[in-house]
Amino acid sequence: MDTLTPEQRRKCMSRIKSKDTTIETLLRKALWHEGIRYRKNYKKLPGKPDIAITKYKIAIFCDGELWHGKGWDVKKDTIESNREYWIRKIEHNINRDNKIEKELERLGWIVVRFWGQKIKKNLIGCVNEIKEIIYEVKNGIYYPDECINVNIAVESESEYS
């Protein structure tokens, strides 16, 4: 059961950031340090990717585990308070992410998604994955069919499907 009053809960929820989060800032600074230039929250693309490397058509999303449903099949069974609302909300987010990803791919963009904890624990690995994609695109050897979801290269299994 929720220990906060509705007003306290509303105040807490209103402080959750949708852009310039810690994980986005960490990844952006690391990319900038490597000389990789980008646009942040690129409004010209569906879903406003957190980071868009326009030169190579790479759209990067930094996803929080809760809001984007990491391990959702297991986690949704553990929700106790306001169950219907949260299940509907998180599943809507997952469906929206999938729709945006397909639209970006249709437009010729490479979509990369990183979980927040992966960015925090393996920032260098995330940056190296992006550098590898840039290298492959530059040299004409990137084959999207072989990398159905780029996030599986950093995370052992995709949680977005």
Side-chain angles (χ1 to χ4, degrees), residues 6-154:
E7 184 56 39
Q8 289 171 323
R9 175 63 58 208
R10 191 174 3 271
K11 189 174 180 180
C12 286
M13 296 301 284
S14 72
R15 292 184 178 174
I16 296 171
K17 295 164 67 171
S18 64
K19 59 183 179 180
D20 295 330
T21 62
T22 303
I23 56 175
E24 290 174 33
T25 305
L26 275 171
L27 187 57
R28 286 197 317 246
K29 285 181 179 182
L31 291 172
W32 193 267
H33 180 73
E34 291 291 323
I36 299 169
R37 301 302 178 245
Y38 53 82
R39 300 282 178 257
K40 65 179 207 165
N41 307 111
Y42 196 51
K43 293 176 183 158
K44 293 181 182 180
L45 291 176
K48 293 186 267 184
D50 300 317
I51 301 168
I53 304 172
T54 56
K55 184 174 182 177
Y56 302 108
K57 293 181 86 172
I58 301 170
I60 303 166
F61 293 90
C62 306
D63 293 342
E65 287 78 359
L66 171 66
W67 303 109
H68 295 272
K70 181 174 183 183
W72 183 238
D73 290 338
V74 173
K75 277 194 181 159
K76 75 177 170 185
D77 294 333
T78 65
I79 297 172
E80 293 178 10
S81 66
N82 210 358
R83 189 172 163 74
E84 286 181 30
Y85 170 79
W86 286 111
I87 289 174
R88 187 173 57 247
K89 169 116 178 105
I90 303 300
E91 287 179 352
H92 171 76
N93 290 350
I94 292 168
N95 291 332
R96 184 194 60 222
D97 290 345
N98 289 332
K99 181 181 174 189
I100 288 168
E101 191 166 316
K102 286 177 184 150
E103 179 64 15
L104 286 167
E105 288 170 350
R106 189 186 67 72
L107 293 170
W109 283 74
I110 299 164
V111 178
V112 182
R113 290 187 176 274
F114 293 114
W115 291 115
Q117 288 302 311
K118 195 59 164 181
I119 293 171
K120 288 178 183 177
K121 292 178 180 175
N122 189 12
L123 180 60
I124 294 169
C126 296
V127 171
N128 286 339
E129 180 65 29
I130 294 165
K131 286 170 62 176
E132 180 67 26
I133 294 168
I134 290 171
Y135 173 82
E136 290 176 358
V137 170
K138 258 185 182 177
N139 292 295
I141 56 174
Y142 180 79
Y143 301 107
D145 293 339
E146 291 179 8
C147 302
I148 296 169
N149 268 331
V150 176
N151 59 356
I152 61 176
V154 175

